[in-house]
Amino acid sequence: FCAVAEGRSISAAARALHVAQPPISRQIAQLEAELGVQLFARESRGMKLTEAGQALYRQSRSLFLTLRRVEENVRSIGAGEGGRINVGVIYSAMPYALHYLEAYHARYPKVEFYIRLGSPQDLLNDLDRGELHVLFLRTPTEGSSDFHEKILGEDPLELVMCPELDPAPDQDSIPIELLKDVPMCLLRSDDLWGYSSHLINECQRKGFTPNTVCQCYDTPMTMQLVQAGFGISYLPRSIVETHPGSNIYSKPLVGLPAKSYPTLLWSSNIYYANCVKRFISMFGYPT
């Protein structure tokens, strides 16, 4: 049932479960008959959960997560101080994540980390589904009751560049007027954090629009273009630490003290294994 709900078709569920389609169809029909409700509305584009189906899916997912956590906890007890922690990280939060991962590993070397790098929304979905235990993100979410949040610090937004495109090589900070003709590699205007929109708005207040030569889907691509000398960007200062040994550096903009906030998130309604509880307790939260 859950496989069909997530794949929105019998064929997708069959591929996910590595079984033939007819047994799945029979199981769904038997489940609907046993419960006396229709769980799916059959549409041309697939199978959509009915209201009853949505209720069953939410409770089924919660049940599976609880069983998974029980299994993880039993395994961690059997392994002493071992176990596994599934960690999600967005690229720009890696410098912060590494600090805590290194500190935890030094204390509990038998614990294995499974680390997934991805887009913010994909990682939030995985955290919500229980596939991740913790998530290093940026900027707190909109007060979701499903997640606990811990702000890890303040990270100033600065211009990130290589020396050949530095508009003020002899200055420690850059007046925004000097960006008028500088090629810029910016995140798309609809990026989750709004970095580019903030910079563009400030430039327009000064009477010009930045020379955006490339709009990037994600931060890793932006940094690759900056390193190649394609343009300069506007990102959290700590992002420079993701390119050790390179000639990339950052400078603040004069009179523009914008900040980003690296944040740790974890679910508020999942039973965690001991190794995960110990990791969360590093941030001052009882578990």
Side-chain angles (χ1 to χ4, degrees):
F1 164 74
C2 287
V4 174
E6 291 165 2
R8 299 197 64 182
S9 72
I10 297 293
S11 59
R15 289 193 296 271
L17 299 175
H18 305 291
V19 298
Q21 295 185 38
I24 296 179
S25 298
R26 288 194 297 270
Q27 289 291 327
I28 295 298
Q30 291 171 10
L31 182 60
E32 290 179 323
E34 181 178 344
L35 296 176
V37 296
Q38 184 178 355
L39 300 173
F40 294 97
R42 279 70 173 177
E43 300 178 339
S44 59
R45 291 181 296 176
M47 301 175 68
K48 181 180 179 181
L49 286 169
T50 62
E51 184 176 356
Q54 291 173 3
L56 179 60
Y57 178 67
R58 286 194 298 269
Q59 295 179 63
S60 298
R61 191 176 67 173
S62 177
L63 174 63
F64 289 143
L65 289 176
T66 299
L67 289 172
R68 189 185 305 171
R69 296 298 170 251
V70 170
E71 179 184 357
E72 290 174 351
N73 195 42
V74 171
R75 290 181 184 276
S76 68
I77 291 173
E81 292 186 343
R84 186 172 102 162
I85 305 176
N86 298 337
V87 182
V89 190
I90 62 168
Y91 181 82
S92 67
M94 278 302 299
Y96 286 85
L98 286 173
H99 169 76
Y100 292 103
L101 296 177
E102 289 172 354
Y104 186 91
H105 179 69
R107 188 171 180 181
Y108 302 104
K110 293 182 180 179
V111 174
E112 176 189 3
F113 286 112
Y114 169 83
I115 301 175
R116 187 185 164 203
L117 195 68
S119 69
Q121 193 56 58
D122 286 345
L123 294 174
L124 280 168
N125 291 339
D126 287 347
L127 183 66
D128 185 49
R129 287 194 294 262
E131 296 175 9
L132 295 175
H133 297 132
V134 295
L135 171 57
F136 288 91
L137 201 61
R138 278 192 181 268
T139 308
T141 56
E142 298 298 326
S144 171
S145 59
D146 294 332
F147 300 130
H148 287 299
E149 299 176 348
K150 173 67 174 182
I151 296 177
L152 306 179
E154 296 181 348
D155 200 359
L157 296 177
E158 296 188 352
L159 294 171
V160 179
M161 68 199 79
C162 291
E164 56 267 26
L165 290 179
D166 189 339
D170 299 326
Q171 301 181 38
D172 294 330
S173 57
I174 298 175
I176 197 168
E177 294 84 355
L178 296 185
L179 297 180
K180 185 174 182 179
D181 298 316
V182 177
M184 305 288 294
C185 296
L186 301 177
L187 291 175
R188 297 183 310 176
S189 58
D190 61 345
D191 77 283
L192 185 61
W193 320 124
Y195 301 154
S196 299
S197 298
H198 184 64
L199 176 64
I200 291 170
N201 290 340
E202 289 298 315
C203 289
Q204 290 176 342
R205 286 180 62 238
K206 296 294 183 179
F208 69 97
T209 298
N211 176 25
T212 305
V213 297
C214 184
Q215 290 191 26
C216 303
Y217 178 79
D218 56 26
T219 308
M221 176 58 69
T222 305
M223 291 298 290
Q224 290 293 326
L225 291 169
V226 169
Q227 188 170 24
F230 205 76
I232 71 175
S233 194
Y234 184 62
L235 296 166
R237 180 171 63 193
S238 67
I239 198 72
V240 174
E241 298 177 31
T242 64
H243 281 64
S246 72
N247 60 347
I248 296 176
Y249 58 90
S250 71
K251 287 185 178 182
L253 274 166
V254 175
L256 195 61
K259 296 177 181 178
S260 176
Y261 299 89
T263 306
L264 180 76
L265 282 81
W266 65 97
S267 178
S268 58
N269 53 14
I270 291 179
Y271 181 80
Y272 284 119
N274 288 335
C275 60
V276 182
K277 292 180 179 180
R278 288 193 294 264
F279 186 82
I280 294 172
S281 68
M282 292 175 57
F283 301 88
Y285 277 74
T287 55

